[in-house]
C-alpha cells in the first residue's frame, strides 16, 4: 500500500517557534494529555482489530489487517504532529483541528468522550484514500456554512425588527416580550423547556386567546380556530408560518453545543415581523453581529433587577430546622426533591410544596399556588432548577441543596450562569398572584421598583456557600459564536459524494471537519446524536428518517434502550410492526407490577418504571413524525399517564432524604468535581476552567431528559436512598 502523508489540515507551513521556556512548559504539560490520547487510541485499535469489526471497516477502504496496521502507523504520526503543534502554542481550531477536537472532547466528556472522538477522527483519516480530488472539492463546497442565513430565503425576503431584551433575573425582560406577543394578532413563543411552553399555553388559554402547544412529545392544536398563537419548545418553532410577533426565550442558549442550533435556526428562520429575544447581557454582541449579517434591524432593551438580591454569609449548616417561611430548596433530581419534601415536613412540622418540570401541569400550578398563598401553611418549597427559567414563584430565599451536578458523564460544579439564574429567583418583584390582584394579567410585573422585595441566596452546606458567592461576584464572558447544524438538504447532497456503506456518524463528523464558517458560527455534532446514528446504521432508512431519529429524546446508556431504538428503526424501514402492543421491547407488563414483585427493592422497581416511561415518551415522539407506522398514539398517552402515576405514588411514599448521607455524598461529589477541574488545569492550564464552562451549557441544566426535564436520579448513587424509606431524615 502506498504511503500517505498526514492530512494537510493538521500541518501549518512556517509555524513560528515560541520562546523555548514557554514551549518547554507546554511540552511538559501536554505530555500527560499525549499519553492519554495514545492510550485511548491503542484501545480503539484493539477494538477494530477483531474480525467482526474489521468487516465493518470495508466502507473506509480497509480490506485486511495489514491495511489497518498501515493506517494506524500513519495516524500515530498525525497525532504526534498535532501534539507538537500544540506544544509550540498552536492549538487553534482552524490550523490544528485534531488537537482542538481531542481537547474539547476530553473537557466535555472526559476519557469516554476522548475515546469516542479518537475513533471518529481515525475513521475520517482512513477514508481519505477513497476520496478523489474532485470529490473532496465538491464536499468542501457543500460544507461552506459561512452564510447559514441563506438557508431561509423566504425569511430573508421579509423586513424584520429584532428586539433584544437583556438583563438579570427578575428584571422584567420576559414580561415586556410577552406583552408584545399578547398585543399581536398572531405569534409564536419558543422556549427551552416543555414546562415553559405549557405555562405560556395556559396563560393564553386563560385570556381567551386561541393557542396551540407544540413540543416533541405532545401537540394540542385548537380545533375551532384557523388563526391561533403557538407555544412550543424552541426545536419545534415553525419556520413556514408568517406571524406578527415571535418570542424566543433564553437566547443565550444559542451558544450551547448540544441545543444551540435550535435557537440559531429559529432566529435565522422564524417568519415574524417582530422577533423578541430574551436573555442575558452576554448575548448582545453576538446577536447584533448576526442581525447585521442578515440585514435585520436590532434594538437592544436593557433592564435592571427590580428587587435587591444578597448572598448570605451563613448556610443552613445541614439543619432543615433553619429554614424560614418563603424558602425554596433547589435540588436536581426527582428522588431528591421528594425526599427533601418529606424530610422538611418531618423536621419542621410545616407543609412543603413541590414544583418541577415533570409534574403534570395542573399539579404544578396547584403546588405553586399553595406556596404563593401567604394565608395557608405551605411555608416552604422544594423545586428543581426549572425555576431558573422563569416560573413565577414568591420565593424569599433560594437555598442550594448542592452546587454540583452530574451532567450524564461527569460530576461538575454549577456554572456561573446557572447559579445566577437559579439564585436570582429569590425576591421576586411581583408574582403571578400579586399581578392578578392588580390588572388581572398574570404577566404583569408592576412598575414601581420600590415595591421590590429583598431576595437572599444561601446553601444547605457551608462548604458550598463560597462557590455561590464567587458566582454572584463573577462576570460572564460574552458569547463568541452561535451553533448551527447542517440542514437535511445539504446532508442528502453530501452523501452522494461518499461510498454508500459509509456510516452517517462519519458523514456528520466529516462535514464538521470540512465546515467553513464565519467567526460568529460554529458547527457541532452531539455525541448522543452520533451514538444514535451508529445504533440505527444497519437499517435501510432515508437521511430524513435518520436525522429525525438522531434528535429523538433518548439516552442509549439506559438498559434496554438500544434494543428499543433498533426495533423502532426496523419498524420504520419495513413500514410495519409499529403498534405499541407489537413492540416487545416496551415492557407494558410493568403496569401490573408492584414493589412486591421486586421483593421490596425500590431501586429495581423504580428503574423499570422509569424505563417504561422513557420508552413511551420515545414512542410518542416517533408517532408525531411517522404516524403511519407508530399508530398507537392514544394508547401511548394513556400508558404514559398510568406510568407517571406509578412514579409519583412511589416518590410520594417511599423515598427519604437522610441529611447525614447527603452530606457525605455532597462531599464526595465536591471532591470529584474539584479533582476533574485540577486535572484539566494541570493539562491545559488555567484556561481549562473557562473552556469547560464554555462547552458545558448556557442555561440551567443539561435538560437532555425526555421533554428537557429533570432526571429521576442524577446518577446511580442516588438510588441508595430508595430503600431507606422508613428511616426518616436523620
Amino acid at each position: 500500500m502506498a504511503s500517505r502523508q498526514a492530512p494537510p489540515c493538521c500541518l501549518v507551513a512556517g509555524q513560528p517557534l515560541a520562546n523555548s521556556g514557554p514551549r518547554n512548559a507546554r511540552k511538559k504539560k501536554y505530555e500527560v494529555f499525549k499519553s492519554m490520547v495514545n492510550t485511548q487510541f491503542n484501545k480503539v485499535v484493539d477494538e477494530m482489530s477483531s474480525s467482526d469489526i474489521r468487516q465493518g471497516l470495508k466502507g473506509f477502504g480497509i480490506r485486511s489487517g495489514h491495511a489497518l496496521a498501515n493506517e494506524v502507523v500513519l495516524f500515530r504520526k498525525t497525532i504526534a504532529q498535532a501534539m507538537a503543534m500544540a506544544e509550540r502554542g498552536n492549538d487553534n481550531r482552524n490550523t490544528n483541528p485534531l488537537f482542538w477536537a481531542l481537547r474539547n472532547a476530553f473537557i466535555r466528556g472526559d476519557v469516554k468522550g476522548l475515546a469516542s472522538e479518537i475513533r471518529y477522527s481515525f475513521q475520517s483519516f482512513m477514508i481519505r484514500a477513497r476520496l478523489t480530488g474532485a470529490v473532496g472539492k465538491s464536499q468542501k463546497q457543500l460544507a461552506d456554512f459561512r452564510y447559514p442565513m441563506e438557508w431561509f430565503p423566504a425569511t430573508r425576503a421579509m423586513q424584520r425588527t429584532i428586539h433584544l431584551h437583556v438583563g438579570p433575573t427578575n428584571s422584567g425582560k420576559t414580561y415586556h416580550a410577552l406583552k408584545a406577543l399578547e398585543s399581536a394578532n398572531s405569534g409564536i413563543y419558543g422556549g427551552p423547556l416543555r414546562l415553559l411552553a405549557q405555562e405560556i399555553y395556559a396563560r393564553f388559554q386563560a385570556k381567551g386567546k386561541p393557542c396551540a402547544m407544540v413540543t416533541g412529545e405532545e401537540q394540542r392544536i385548537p380545533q375551532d380556530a384557523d388563526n391561533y398563537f403557538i407555544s412550543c419548545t424552541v426545536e419545534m418553532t415553525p419556520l413556514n408560518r408568517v406571524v406578527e410577533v415571535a418570542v424566543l426565550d433564553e437566547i443565550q442558549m444559542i451558544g450551547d453545543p448540544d441545543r444551540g442550533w435550535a435557537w440559531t435556526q429559529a432566529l435565522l428562520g422564524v417568519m415574524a415581523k417582530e422577533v423578541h429575544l430574551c436573555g442575558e447581557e452576554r448575548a448582545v454582541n453576538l446577536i447584533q453581529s448576526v442581525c447585521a449579517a442578515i440585514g435585520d434591524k436590532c434594538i437592544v432593551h436593557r433592564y435592571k433587577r427590580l428587587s435587591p438580591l444578597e448572598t448570605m454569609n451563613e448556610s443552613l449548616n445541614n439543619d432543615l430546622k433553619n429554614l424560614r417561611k418563603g424558602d425554596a430548596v433547589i435540588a436536581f433530581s426527582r428522588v431528591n426533591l421528594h425526599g427533601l419534601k418529606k424530610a422538611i415536613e418531618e423536621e419542621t412540622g410545616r407543609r412543603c410544596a413541590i414544583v418541577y418540570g415533570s409534574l403534570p401541569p395542573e399539579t404544578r400550578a396547584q403546588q405553586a399556588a399553595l406556596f404563593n398563598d401567604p394565608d395557608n401553611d405551605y411555608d416552604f418549597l422544594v423545586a428543581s432548577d426549572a425555576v431558573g427559567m422563569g416560573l413565577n414563584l414568591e420565593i424569599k430565599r433560594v437555598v442550594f441543596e448542592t452546587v454540583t451536578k452530574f451532567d450524564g458523564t461527569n460530576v461538575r460544579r454549577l456554572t456561573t450562569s446557572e447559579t445566577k439564574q437559579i439564585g436570582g429567583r429569590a425576591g421576586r418583584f411581583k408574582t403571578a398572584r400579586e399581578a392578578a390582584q392588580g390588572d388581572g394579567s398574570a404577566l404583569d410585573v408592576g412598575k414601581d421598583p420600590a415595591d421590590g422585595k429583598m431576595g437572599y441566596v444561601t446553601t444547605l452546606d457551608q462548604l458550598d456557600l463560597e462557590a455561590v458567592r464567587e458566582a454572584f461576584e463573577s462576570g460572564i464572558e460574552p458569547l463568541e459564536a452561535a451553533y448551527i447544524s447542517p440542514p437535511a438538504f445539504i446532508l442528502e447532497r453530501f452523501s452522494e459524494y461518499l461510498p454508500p456503506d459509509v456510516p452517517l456518524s462519519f458523514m456528520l463528523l466529516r462535514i464538521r471537519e470540512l465546515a467553513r464558517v464565519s467567526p460568529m458560527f460554529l458547527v457541532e455534532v452531539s455525541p448522543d446524536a452520533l451514538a444514535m446514528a451508529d445504533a440505527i446504521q444497519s437499517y435501510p432508512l432515508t437521511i430524513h428518517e435518520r436525522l429525525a431519529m438522531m434528535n429523538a429524546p433518548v439516552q442509549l446508556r439506559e438498559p434496554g434502550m438500544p434494543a428499543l431504538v433498533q426495533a423502532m428503526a426496523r419498524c420504520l424501514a419495513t413500514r410495519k410492526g409499529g403498534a405499541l402492543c407489537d413492540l416487545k421491547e416496551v415492557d407494558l407488563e410493568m403496569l401490573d407490577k408492584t414493589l412486591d414483585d421486586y421483593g421490596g427493592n425500590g431501586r429495581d422497581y423504580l428503574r423499570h418504571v422509569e424505563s417504561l416511561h422513557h420508552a413511551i415518551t420515545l414512542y410518542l415522539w416517533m408517532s408525531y413524525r411517522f404516524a403511519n407506522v407508530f399508530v398507537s398514539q392514544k394508547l401511548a398517552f394513556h400508558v404514559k399517564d398510568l406510568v407517571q402515576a406509578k412514579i409519583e405514588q412511589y416518590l410520594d411514599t417511599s423515598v427519604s432524604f437522610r441529611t447525614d448521607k447527603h452530606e457525605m455524598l455532597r462531599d464526595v461529589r465536591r471532591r470529584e468535581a474539584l479533582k476533574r477541574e485540577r486535572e484539566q488545569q494541570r493539562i491545559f492550564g488555567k484556561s481549562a476552567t473557562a473552556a469547560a464552562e464554555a462547552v458545558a451549557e448556557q442555561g440551567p441544566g443539561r435538560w437532555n431528559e425526555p421533554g428537557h426535564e429533570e432526571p429521576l436520579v442524577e446518577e446511580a448513587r442516588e438510588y441508595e436512598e430508595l430503600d431507606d424509606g422508613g428511616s426518616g431524615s436523620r
Side-chain angles (χ1 to χ4, degrees):
M1 180 175 179
S3 64
R4 180 156 45 84
Q5 297 296 319
C9 64
C10 293
L11 298 173
V12 180
Q15 174 66 36
L17 291 177
N19 292 333
S20 59
R23 179 179 177 181
N24 288 336
R26 280 193 299 269
K27 183 175 181 180
K28 183 177 180 181
K29 180 175 61 178
Y30 286 148
E31 281 297 324
V32 177
F33 188 55
K34 182 193 294 186
S35 175
M36 193 180 299
V37 170
N38 286 325
T39 298
Q40 294 306 312
F41 182 49
N42 289 339
K43 293 181 179 179
V44 169
V45 172
D46 289 342
E47 292 173 5
M48 289 184 171
S49 296
S50 70
S51 57
D52 290 341
I53 295 180
R54 201 164 63 232
Q55 285 294 318
L57 294 178
K58 290 183 179 179
F60 298 97
I62 304 301
R63 306 284 177 180
S64 66
H66 176 73
L68 177 61
N70 196 27
E71 294 296 303
V72 168
V73 171
L74 291 171
F75 192 62
R76 287 197 196 280
K77 292 180 180 179
T78 302
I79 292 174
Q81 289 170 341
M83 291 295 173
M85 290 166 62
E87 290 167 3
R88 294 196 296 267
N90 180 9
D91 58 0
N92 184 274
R93 176 174 188 154
N94 294 323
T95 55
N96 193 359
L98 178 59
F99 177 83
W100 190 92
L102 296 178
R103 179 186 61 186
N104 272 28
F106 176 68
I107 290 174
R108 290 188 68 185
D110 212 72
V111 175
K112 289 183 179 179
L114 177 62
S116 179
E117 185 67 34
I118 290 172
R119 182 180 299 104
Y120 288 122
S121 295
F122 185 40
Q123 290 175 351
S124 177
F125 181 84
M126 289 188 292
I127 205 169
R128 293 172 190 275
R130 300 187 66 183
L131 303 179
T132 65
V135 168
K137 183 178 180 180
S138 298
Q139 287 183 348
K140 287 181 179 180
Q141 289 175 344
L142 286 172
D144 187 347
F145 298 155
R146 289 174 296 172
Y147 311 105
M149 58 285 294
E150 295 178 358
W151 298 341
F152 309 97
T155 309
R156 297 289 75 78
M158 300 179 67
Q159 291 295 316
R160 302 189 307 174
T161 300
I162 309 294
H163 292 271
L164 178 56
H165 304 269
V166 296
T169 53
N170 196 13
S171 61
K173 57 184 183 293
T174 306
Y175 156 74
H176 287 94
L178 290 175
K179 269 296 187 184
L181 182 61
E182 247 189 347
S183 302
N185 292 317
S186 60
I188 297 166
Y189 169 86
L193 306 177
R194 187 177 67 168
L195 73 93
L196 289 180
Q198 291 170 334
E199 290 278 322
I200 302 304
Y201 169 77
R203 288 175 176 178
F204 274 73
Q205 290 283 91
K207 291 177 179 293
K209 294 179 179 289
C211 186
M213 187 186 78
V214 181
T215 70
E217 303 86 43
E218 185 176 6
Q219 297 182 16
R220 303 178 189 176
I221 310 296
Q223 300 299 316
D224 54 354
D226 295 326
N227 183 39
Y228 49 82
F229 292 86
I230 297 176
S231 181
C232 58
T233 46
V234 70
E235 287 89 347
M236 304 300 293
T237 303
L239 305 179
N240 58 354
R241 186 184 185 97
V242 179
V243 297
E244 289 186 8
V245 173
V247 173
L248 302 179
D249 212 352
E250 305 294 347
I251 191 60
Q252 74 277 357
M253 289 192 72
I254 201 170
D256 180 80
D258 292 326
R259 296 181 63 201
W261 64 269
W263 274 264
T264 306
Q265 175 181 273
L267 172 59
L268 297 179
V270 70
M271 299 177 69
K273 298 174 183 177
E274 287 186 11
V275 181
H276 291 256
L277 312 175
C278 308
E280 299 175 10
E281 175 70 31
R282 61 190 169 126
V284 171
N285 292 343
L286 176 58
I287 297 300
Q288 287 179 324
S289 297
V290 172
C291 289
I294 60 182
D296 287 342
K297 182 179 180 181
C298 182
I299 302 172
V300 180
H301 308 270
R302 288 183 168 88
Y303 305 90
K304 294 182 178 180
R305 185 176 168 88
L306 297 172
S307 61
L309 183 68
E310 178 181 312
T311 53
M312 303 184 70
N313 295 321
E314 294 293 328
S315 71
L316 269 60
N317 290 311
N318 288 304
D319 189 347
L320 297 175
K321 290 189 176 70
N322 289 329
L323 286 168
R324 305 172 185 169
K325 182 178 176 63
D327 281 354
V329 183
I330 308 300
F332 303 120
S333 72
R334 283 176 277 165
V335 163
N336 265 2
L337 289 167
H338 281 268
L340 271 167
K341 178 182 186 299
K342 183 187 295 185
I344 288 170
E345 291 180 339
E346 290 176 353
E347 290 288 310
T348 65
R350 290 181 282 178
R351 303 296 297 275
C352 180
I354 184 168
V355 170
Y356 55 89
S358 307
L359 278 175
E362 299 78 12
T363 305
R364 190 168 59 240
Q366 177 195 49
Q367 290 289 306
L370 289 171
F371 176 71
N372 287 338
D373 187 351
D375 300 325
N376 63 29
D377 59 349
Y378 280 80
D379 292 350
F380 312 118
L381 173 73
V382 292
S384 73
D385 40 349
V387 300
M389 286 196 174
L391 294 179
N392 274 310
L393 294 163
E394 200 165 337
I395 299 170
K396 296 179 182 177
R397 183 172 65 168
V398 165
V399 180
F400 285 89
E401 186 266 324
T402 180
V403 295
T404 60
K405 284 196 71 173
F406 183 73
D407 63 10
T409 305
N410 301 290
V411 174
R412 62 169 180 82
R413 286 199 296 178
L414 297 178
T415 64
T416 300
S417 174
E418 289 172 323
T419 306
K420 286 184 173 181
Q421 282 211 342
I422 298 168
R425 292 299 156 183
R428 298 291 293 162
F429 181 61
K430 262 196 175 184
T431 65
R433 180 185 59 81
E434 293 171 318
Q437 292 173 351
D439 65 358
S441 169
L443 305 178
D444 187 18
V445 296
K447 297 180 181 179
D448 184 5
D451 289 344
K453 303 170 183 177
M454 174 67 80
Y456 299 93
V457 185
T458 189
T459 59
L460 185 61
D461 194 318
Q462 186 69 26
L463 292 175
D464 287 336
L465 187 55
E466 186 59 30
V468 172
R469 294 180 63 85
E470 286 179 3
F472 275 93
E473 292 169 1
S474 300
I476 304 176
E477 292 295 317
L479 296 179
E480 295 183 357
Y483 281 88
I484 58 175
S485 180
F489 74 88
I490 287 182
L491 292 173
E492 284 185 320
R493 292 178 59 191
F494 197 93
S495 66
E496 296 172 1
Y497 295 95
L498 286 171
D501 50 356
V502 168
L504 175 62
S505 58
F506 164 76
M507 186 175 76
L508 292 168
L509 287 169
R510 175 71 172 159
I511 289 177
R512 187 190 71 177
E513 178 186 351
L514 294 176
R516 295 176 64 194
V517 293
S518 71
M520 71 182 75
F521 296 111
L522 286 173
V523 178
E524 186 56 86
V525 183
S526 162
D528 290 338
L530 293 175
M532 186 69 157
D534 284 341
I536 61 175
Q537 180 60 39
S538 61
Y539 298 93
L541 303 172
T542 67
I543 288 288
H544 282 275
E545 291 166 346
R546 292 184 189 281
L547 292 177
M549 290 197 69
M550 276 175 52
N551 291 318
V554 61
Q555 294 295 324
L556 287 174
R557 57 180 170 268
E558 288 187 17
M561 195 55 70
L564 175 59
V565 164
Q566 290 169 348
M568 288 186 165
R570 183 174 61 252
C571 294
L572 188 56
T574 59
R575 295 297 190 270
K576 61 183 181 181
L580 186 59
C581 293
D582 293 337
L583 285 167
K584 67 179 187 304
E585 292 80 6
V586 180
D587 183 16
L588 295 177
E589 293 181 2
M590 183 67 215
L591 294 173
D592 297 324
K593 295 179 182 178
T594 67
L595 184 60
D596 291 339
D597 292 311
Y598 291 85
N601 188 322
R603 306 176 200 183
D604 288 348
Y605 172 75
L606 200 53
R607 279 171 173 159
H608 281 83
V609 177
E610 183 72 350
S611 292
L612 177 56
H613 180 266
H614 285 175
I616 294 299
T617 300
L618 175 60
Y619 187 92
L620 286 169
W621 196 93
M622 295 290 287
S623 74
Y624 277 113
R625 288 149 185 82
F626 308 105
N628 60 328
V629 176
F630 302 101
V631 296
S632 308
Q633 188 179 89
K634 289 185 178 180
L635 175 60
F637 271 117
H638 177 63
V639 172
K640 186 177 182 181
D641 288 342
L642 295 175
V643 174
Q644 286 178 327
K646 289 174 79 74
I647 292 174
E648 295 302 325
Q649 180 186 27
Y650 182 87
L651 293 178
D652 280 341
T653 58
S654 303
V655 301
S656 67
F657 184 91
R658 292 178 56 106
T659 53
D660 54 348
K661 275 194 174 183
H662 277 264
E663 187 175 357
M664 289 187 290
L665 179 58
R666 277 193 298 271
D667 189 50
V668 169
R669 294 175 63 167
R670 198 184 294 118
R671 290 199 303 268
E672 287 179 6
L674 182 60
K675 180 182 178 181
R676 185 163 177 261
E677 289 175 11
R678 286 176 174 170
E679 178 71 7
Q680 291 180 354
Q681 289 185 12
R682 184 169 69 94
I683 299 172
F684 302 118
K686 293 183 179 179
S687 61
T689 301
E693 284 221 356
V695 300
E697 45 268 323
Q698 303 300 331
R702 283 180 65 89
W703 302 108
N704 57 357
E705 290 293 308
H708 310 304
E709 295 163 351
E710 51 281 297
L712 184 64
V713 297
E714 286 193 272
E715 54 176 328
R717 283 179 290 198
E718 290 185 20
Y719 278 113
E720 295 175 6
E721 297 295 308
L722 300 182
D723 295 325
D724 294 330
S727 59
S729 63
R730 288 290 179 189

